[in-house]
Amino acid sequence: MSLRDFALLAFVCVVWAANNIVSKFVVAHLGVPPMFYAAVRFAVVLIAVFPWLLPMPRPRWRMLVVGVLMGAGTFALVFIGLKTASPSAVAIVSQVGVPITTLLSFLILGERLTGRRIAGMVLTLTGVLAVMWDPHGFKISGGLLFIVAASFLGGLGAVMMKQMEGVKPLRLQAWVGLSSLVPMVALSAALEPGQVQAGIAAGWPFVASALFSGLVVSVLAHTLYYSLIQKYEANLISPLTLMTPLATIGMGVIFTHDVFDLRMAFGTAIALAGVLVIALRPSQAVALLVALRNRSQ
């Protein structure tokens, strides 16, 4: 991998990590209702990529379902989870999406489920549970349960997306925005009274956050990521995206004063190790190390 492409991927991961911090700030500190924030975010995305909306990918019903799962179903739950959970914990627990997607690919697509992947799934789940567990009592963090649900819906959307061919990144973003905007507006109107007033009261920081999340995160960073996936093997790119949870932890400790104790460190190490086991075959692990060593070439 060239230094330029590695820098682009690092930029993408830092942007994704920063989005966790920004979203935490919006829903927990500015007091903007999470589903309203999601609706505004999808409106920004839809406006930005509206020219790529047509023609609609087929089958149309699948595109709508994928859009809702990967958009509203994922982001709304993440924003709800961030009201009470720290960005660091959210970044690690969201890694449960990797074994979930692997299992769904086996059940729905008939993809092979090897012993190595099963071991990676167990490792990831062990690490995630260590992060989720409340050390002061026998209960699971409520906010992080929303993150698990979001990971499941996102994984299901990704598996269904595999059954569609030829959907370009910007067209996908357009339909995720349109498919998600309508249910988010409806749910926010029904369940979040005073949401518009809360957004107005939050002022320009809310507007800037929505523009950052919609334009920089969704349109720019995701498009760059898709271009790198097309250029390199997914099993090389995917492990490198583990820079995202690591960057989120760093930013969380600095900006939102997340607690990162020995329990969190243990859970993080085990979960990320499990993700690597799932993502990499032994030969590709060597290729990854070589790519990192030679990235300046």
Side-chain angles (χ1 to χ4, degrees):
M1 177 179 288
S2 68
L3 178 60
R4 172 184 174 275
D5 289 342
F6 182 81
L8 285 176
L9 183 59
F11 168 76
V12 168
C13 292
V14 170
V15 166
W16 287 346
N19 188 51
N20 290 324
I21 307 300
V22 169
S23 299
K24 174 69 175 182
F25 174 71
V26 170
V27 300
H29 298 285
L30 292 182
V32 177
M35 286 184 285
F36 178 69
Y37 178 44
V40 174
R41 178 189 191 278
F42 289 125
V44 171
V45 172
L46 181 58
I47 292 171
V49 296
F50 188 80
W52 287 271
L53 192 64
L54 297 176
M56 183 178 183
R58 295 175 181 270
R60 292 174 178 173
W61 71 267
R62 187 179 295 276
M63 184 69 260
L64 291 174
V65 172
V66 167
V68 171
L69 290 174
M70 298 183 71
T74 300
F75 284 95
L77 292 177
V78 168
F79 293 160
I80 292 172
L82 277 168
K83 282 183 67 72
T84 57
S86 69
S88 298
V90 167
I92 299 306
V93 171
S94 63
Q95 299 306 307
V96 75
V98 177
I100 286 175
T101 304
T102 302
L103 181 59
L104 289 174
S105 296
F106 167 72
L107 295 174
I108 298 175
L109 304 178
E111 293 185 359
R112 187 182 177 191
L113 191 60
T114 63
R116 176 182 55 81
R117 288 193 166 188
I118 293 174
M121 292 167 65
V122 172
L123 279 174
T124 304
L125 291 173
T126 300
V128 165
L129 285 174
V131 172
M132 291 181 66
W133 198 261
D134 186 344
H136 302 295
F138 295 100
K139 62 180 181 179
I140 298 295
S141 170
L144 294 178
L145 289 177
F146 284 103
I147 306 303
V148 174
S151 300
F152 174 80
L153 295 181
L156 180 58
V159 170
M160 292 185 66
M161 189 66 201
K162 288 184 179 181
Q163 297 174 310
M164 302 181 68
E165 296 181 357
V167 182
K168 296 181 179 180
L170 290 176
R171 182 154 294 130
L172 172 63
Q173 294 287 358
W175 280 100
V176 168
L178 180 60
S179 303
S180 301
L181 179 59
V182 175
M184 282 296 92
V185 169
L187 286 172
S188 179
L191 302 175
E192 297 175 335
Q195 73 276 38
V196 176
Q197 291 81 355
I200 294 173
W204 69 263
F206 170 56
V207 175
S209 299
L211 291 174
F212 171 76
S213 184
L215 298 179
V216 180
V217 178
S218 283
V219 178
L220 177 60
H222 279 79
T223 301
L224 286 174
Y225 177 72
Y226 289 136
S227 68
L228 291 170
I229 282 288
Q230 292 172 350
K231 188 173 182 180
Y232 298 98
E233 288 187 8
N235 282 326
L236 173 61
I237 297 295
S238 295
L240 289 175
T241 60
L242 292 179
M243 288 185 285
T244 299
L246 295 176
T248 301
I249 291 171
M251 292 182 186
V253 171
I254 295 172
F255 296 110
T256 57
H257 308 293
D258 295 358
V259 175
F260 191 75
D261 52 17
L262 288 176
R263 178 180 59 87
M264 280 284 292
F266 169 79
T268 298
I270 297 299
L272 297 188
V275 170
L276 281 174
V277 169
I278 294 171
L280 288 177
R281 293 193 292 270
S283 60
Q284 290 165 330
V286 175
L288 173 62
L289 293 176
V290 172
L292 288 172
R293 186 191 65 191
N294 299 329
R295 63 182 181 269
S296 61
Q297 295 181 356

